[in-house]
Amino acid sequence: MHRIIVITASLAGLDYVTRMKRRRPDSEVNLIIPAALKEFQAHYLANKDTAAQGPAAKRLAAALPDMDALRARDVGVLEALNITPDLKEREVNLRSSQGSISIRYSELVIEISATVRIPRALQAARNIFGWPLPGFAAHPHDCDKALAQAAAEQRPVIIIGNGPSALDAVFLAREAGAQAHWLYTGEQDSPPINPHMLQLIRKRLGPDLRFTPLPNTLPERLTCKLNSEGSLLEHIVLPDGTALQSPCCLWTSPLMAKHPLLREEGILLDNHGCMRLEDPSSSQGLHIMGSGVNVPTGRLPVSGLKAPFYAGGDEHAWISAILTGAATGNISPDTDLGSMAIRTASTPGLHFYRAGYGIADAQNRDLDLESAITALPDPDDASGKGLLILELVCERQSHSLIGVQVLGVDISKTAAEGLFGVALAALSADADLTTLSARPRIGLPGRLLGMGASILLNKLQTLIKGISPDELLASQDAGSNFFMLDLRPAADWKAGHLPGAHNIPMPQLKKRLQAEVPHFVPLVLLSTSGSDAFVAACKLAALGATDLYVLDGGMNLWPYELEATS
């Protein structure tokens, strides 16, 4: 009998088990989970209708497995207090409340989750928590108590980091009824959030969030003051000398991967703290998977550029489909997996998803990337406030898609998740921009994907350049002489426009162009989503115009005050 043993404690690992059993029904599949998972499950279910369950416990509870469903699929479920693998003898020794047993295996799959590396001097502080919490043994109720104390004392929760995990920690504090003070540190190993999206998130959260950028500060270099016993964080000293006090601190980076079961030779760590097998062909049936594993990455067809796989983030079910093939040997190191580094953060009214490269990654690697961001309102939102926003990142030489980010603002999670699913499918297929722009644009996700691909092609094939809101304001402050041409309908322009912008609605552009638009002056074209502006820019470029700029994301993503005209 071919026996597969899987050691895991996450939703992605459990999803992996069901996929494995479905694909290999003749194999015996045994799932080993930590006893702490069952203890947490029992405690949560007994108290789920009480106020004792805070947002940290609820997040872990969302990943609780359905043991009955697993057993119905003929998966053996074992709960262990202690597990010791013997790779040489190909067996697992485990101790449970019923005693000790040894199980021989044909294949052993161990999930490795990335955890946050809190500085050694701070690890004894009971009010500092790595986020995401390291599994079901992490006592989420302690974190919830600290969050509740911050809310009761009306003091902000301190969040340290700059990636989606930090954003999720901000959402966690908000759901606990506390304000958040986000120290946006400058570490390089965490994938940052698109600046447009970050500005919108900050604007949407308003007074619930204080934001302090520390671009030149690594998390471990922050000055932290503990009490005399070293058991509690008293305050963090900011570069300007301000002492920031809080009863709760959520530390989200840098990340590391460790697992108490693996202390064998041949297990290596890369510079992200991700584990990898030195020689997978001689691993004696051992496979490792999860957010702390350096999965073999694909290469783009023209440039040979390696796609990234970051440690950390949520163990999301989407990722297990990719990891399953790598862990079982069905995907070779030369197979193109796409840029499948998935990160998520979600709270009512705001839903963020990211996979693969962001444009900021080019600053730390020798990459030649281009990006486009666009946004459309939700047609089902009667208030008109809901926005669905998509960023696409491509490699210039190959025109291959290598990164996506999605943000839903005042829109349903289903809608944001649906767009991310469509973009993720294009990313995993290594789709090129020409194909994406030519696809039928069915529904809002299809329209956004096609629009983003078309804008990227226009950027790559012409001299049209994108300009962000901050770049536009900085250029104006520096004395640049732009002519800003707003192509929206007159009613939209009157309701709110950039100071100094000239309005010619798109249908009237051909008639009024020669008389109203100056020659030999850089043009900044503005439209609702950016799409019309790129169409107009292409027409102007064909007529010989140069120095053409399009506002990234259009007026949908302008984060600052506008001027109204009666």
Side-chain angles (χ1 to χ4, degrees):
M1 169 64 72
H2 190 87
R3 179 180 291 136
I4 302 169
I5 295 178
V6 181
I7 302 173
T8 183
S10 78
L11 187 62
L14 296 166
D15 182 66
Y16 167 89
V17 171
T18 58
R19 289 173 185 271
M20 174 68 72
K21 185 62 181 179
R22 187 165 59 245
R23 190 168 52 251
R24 301 170 73 174
D26 296 333
S27 297
E28 177 186 323
V29 179
N30 290 290
L31 170 67
I32 300 178
I33 60 174
L37 189 153
K38 185 178 181 182
E39 293 169 6
F40 171 80
Q41 186 174 38
H43 184 276
Y44 182 83
L45 293 176
N47 298 278
K48 67 177 182 179
D49 296 325
T50 71
Q53 301 300 339
K58 288 178 180 178
R59 272 167 164 72
L60 279 186
L64 286 174
D66 186 338
M67 295 304 180
D68 292 336
L70 287 170
R71 292 188 179 99
R73 291 182 173 89
D74 199 23
V75 173
V77 181
L78 302 169
E79 295 149 8
L81 296 169
N82 182 271
I83 310 169
T84 307
D86 188 334
L87 302 185
K88 190 172 295 184
E89 297 297 327
R90 299 184 74 149
E91 66 181 20
V92 173
N93 304 301
L94 63 91
R95 181 172 59 85
S96 68
S97 56
Q98 283 78 39
S100 299
I101 59 172
S102 296
I103 308 174
R104 293 190 62 82
Y105 63 83
S106 306
E107 294 181 70
L108 174 64
V109 182
I110 299 178
E111 182 185 23
I112 310 294
S113 296
T115 58
V116 179
R117 188 174 70 241
I118 297 172
R120 187 183 301 273
L122 305 178
Q123 291 176 6
R126 298 193 306 271
N127 58 346
I128 298 178
F129 304 90
W131 188 262
L133 295 174
F136 293 93
H139 305 295
H141 305 292
D142 293 341
C143 182
D144 282 328
K145 288 178 183 177
L147 289 167
Q149 182 181 348
E153 297 176 0
Q154 297 185 339
R155 289 195 285 170
V157 176
I158 299 174
I159 287 115
I160 297 170
N162 77 346
S165 293
L167 176 60
D168 191 54
V170 171
F171 292 165
L172 186 81
R174 183 170 179 257
E175 289 165 25
Q179 293 184 333
H181 193 138
W182 187 355
L183 304 184
Y184 195 84
T185 51
E187 75 276 14
Q188 302 300 328
D189 287 345
S190 180
I193 300 166
N194 176 283
H196 285 76
M197 297 182 181
L198 184 60
Q199 285 183 329
L200 286 174
I201 290 166
R202 291 174 57 192
K203 184 177 181 180
R204 173 65 172 71
L205 291 177
D208 285 344
L209 174 65
R210 291 184 63 190
F211 186 84
T212 301
L214 303 173
N216 300 315
T217 304
L218 297 176
E220 56 268 33
R221 293 180 183 172
L222 288 168
T223 302
C224 301
K225 174 68 175 176
L226 302 182
N227 64 359
S228 57
E229 293 81 18
S231 59
L232 290 172
L233 173 70
E234 289 189 344
H235 62 259
I236 293 177
V237 181
L238 299 182
D240 64 1
T242 303
L244 184 60
Q245 295 181 324
S246 173
C248 182
C249 176
L250 299 177
W251 203 287
T252 71
S253 60
L255 294 164
M256 61 182 293
K258 61 181 180 180
H259 201 289
L261 304 182
L262 293 178
R263 302 198 181 281
E264 306 282 338
E265 291 186 6
I267 306 295
L268 305 179
L269 292 175
D270 68 8
N271 59 356
H272 287 285
C274 296
M275 288 186 173
R276 63 183 175 86
L277 294 179
E278 188 174 22
D279 182 7
S281 63
S282 62
S283 60
Q284 298 296 313
L286 171 67
H287 310 290
I288 54 177
M289 61 170 287
S291 61
V293 179
N294 186 9
V295 174
T297 55
R299 294 175 181 272
L300 297 177
V302 176
S303 65
L305 179 68
K306 280 191 174 182
F309 188 89
Y310 290 103
D314 297 339
E315 287 86 10
H316 198 284
W318 270 317
I319 210 166
S320 64
I322 309 302
L323 298 182
T324 295
T328 58
N330 295 334
I331 295 179
S332 72
D334 295 327
T335 303
D336 189 357
L337 298 178
S339 306
M340 307 303 291
I342 295 174
R343 295 291 191 88
T344 71
S346 185
T347 195
L350 290 167
H351 311 286
F352 176 82
Y353 304 88
R354 170 187 165 128
Y357 279 114
I359 199 68
D361 295 305
Q363 298 172 4
N364 309 312
R365 300 168 178 85
D366 188 19
L367 305 179
D368 190 12
L369 307 183
E370 184 58 86
S371 69
I373 184 167
T374 189
L376 288 174
D378 179 7
D380 298 325
D381 179 19
S383 70
K385 295 180 180 179
L387 273 182
L388 202 51
I389 304 155
L390 173 68
E391 182 199 43
L392 299 179
V393 179
C394 76
E395 199 268 333
R396 280 182 174 274
Q397 186 177 359
S398 66
H399 287 196
S400 290
L401 188 65
I402 63 170
V404 299
Q405 291 192 42
V406 169
L407 176 65
V409 179
D410 292 324
I411 205 166
S412 71
K413 184 176 182 181
T414 302
E417 207 167 65
L419 173 59
F420 185 62
V422 169
L424 198 62
L427 181 64
S428 61
D430 195 25
D432 66 273
L433 298 177
T434 303
T435 301
L436 289 177
S437 62
R439 283 181 181 172
R441 300 181 183 183
I442 301 174
L444 188 56
R447 288 172 60 202
L448 272 167
L449 188 63
M451 186 187 303
S454 297
I455 288 174
L456 267 176
L457 276 176
N458 285 329
K459 280 188 171 184
L460 294 169
Q461 294 173 351
T462 68
L463 298 178
I464 302 168
K465 296 175 282 291
I467 187 167
S468 72
D470 287 343
E471 288 172 336
L472 178 57
L473 293 178
S475 297
Q476 288 178 323
D477 289 343
S480 296
N481 183 25
F482 285 120
F483 184 83
M484 293 184 292
L485 179 58
D486 194 323
L487 302 168
R488 295 177 298 156
D492 292 346
W493 181 84
K494 288 179 180 179
H497 57 267
L498 303 188
H502 186 78
N503 179 228
I504 301 180
M506 185 72 171
Q508 303 175 22
L509 181 61
K510 184 177 181 181
K511 183 187 299 184
R512 298 169 57 182
L513 177 65
Q514 291 294 332
E516 299 183 36
V517 178
H519 301 279
F520 311 113
V521 174
L523 295 181
V524 178
L525 300 171
L526 315 172
S527 64
T528 302
S529 66
S531 179
D532 283 349
F534 266 97
V535 171
C538 290
K539 292 179 180 179
L540 293 172
L543 294 173
T546 58
D547 287 335
L548 295 168
Y549 296 84
V550 170
L551 181 67
D552 287 336
M555 294 302 293
N556 273 337
L557 296 187
W558 183 262
Y560 305 114
E561 293 296 322
L562 296 173
E563 184 178 273
T565 300
S566 58

